[in-house]
Amino acid sequence: EVQLVESGGGLVQAGWSLRLSCAASGPHVDHFIIAWFRQAPGKGREGIASIRLRDDITRYSDSMEGRFIISGDGAKGTVYLQMNSLKPEDTAVYYCAATIAWYPFDADEYPYWGQGTQVTVSA
């Protein structure tokens, strides 16, 4: 089983940057695919990007603009999400999640989830 803990959320102004962290632990965690999702009020969970810590292979959701960058530190078991040029519409709860294979960004395919961290972007 994989345990995930997000941190780094907060209140920022539009145009600012923010880096989220996801601490992953558990057996063979570096073999899992760890992804970032977000959920805005009244909307479903939206996939952003994913990474496998074992080899740093990354994938990005087609719907993301390229302002967000995923990276990882295998030694620490930590995955990061660098968010640049933030907009008010980026306001959401950001989650990291883990699964065993390169599934599309379908939240139902990810059995392990963190508790989420709130990001609020003011205009």
Side-chain angles (χ1 to χ4, degrees):
E1 183 172 339
V2 178
Q3 292 81 42
L4 304 165
V5 179
E6 304 94 334
S7 61
L11 172 63
V12 298
Q13 295 183 4
W16 286 21
S17 296
L18 198 62
R19 190 178 79 160
L20 305 181
S21 298
C22 172
S25 60
H28 309 295
V29 68
D30 60 329
H31 288 254
F32 282 76
I33 310 305
I34 299 177
W36 284 100
F37 286 79
R38 67 182 183 183
Q39 186 168 21
K43 296 188 177 181
R45 292 190 179 183
E46 176 186 25
I48 301 171
S50 58
I51 187 170
R52 185 168 60 193
L53 290 174
R54 175 167 61 91
D55 48 21
D56 283 339
I57 292 177
T58 61
R59 292 188 178 177
Y60 289 86
S61 170
D62 291 340
S63 64
M64 300 310 296
E65 300 174 24
R67 295 180 290 118
F68 295 176
I69 301 170
I70 193 170
S71 63
D73 184 331
K76 296 181 179 180
T78 302
V79 175
Y80 304 100
L81 184 68
Q82 178 68 39
M83 305 186 295
N84 301 318
S85 302
L86 284 163
K87 305 175 181 179
E89 50 264 43
D90 294 319
T91 294
V93 178
Y94 285 73
Y95 298 90
C96 61
T99 189
I100 60 172
W102 288 107
Y103 293 112
F105 291 101
D106 181 350
D108 291 339
E109 300 291 353
Y110 288 76
Y112 306 107
W113 290 82
Q115 82 288 349
T117 186
Q118 176 71 46
V119 173
T120 303
V121 185
S122 62

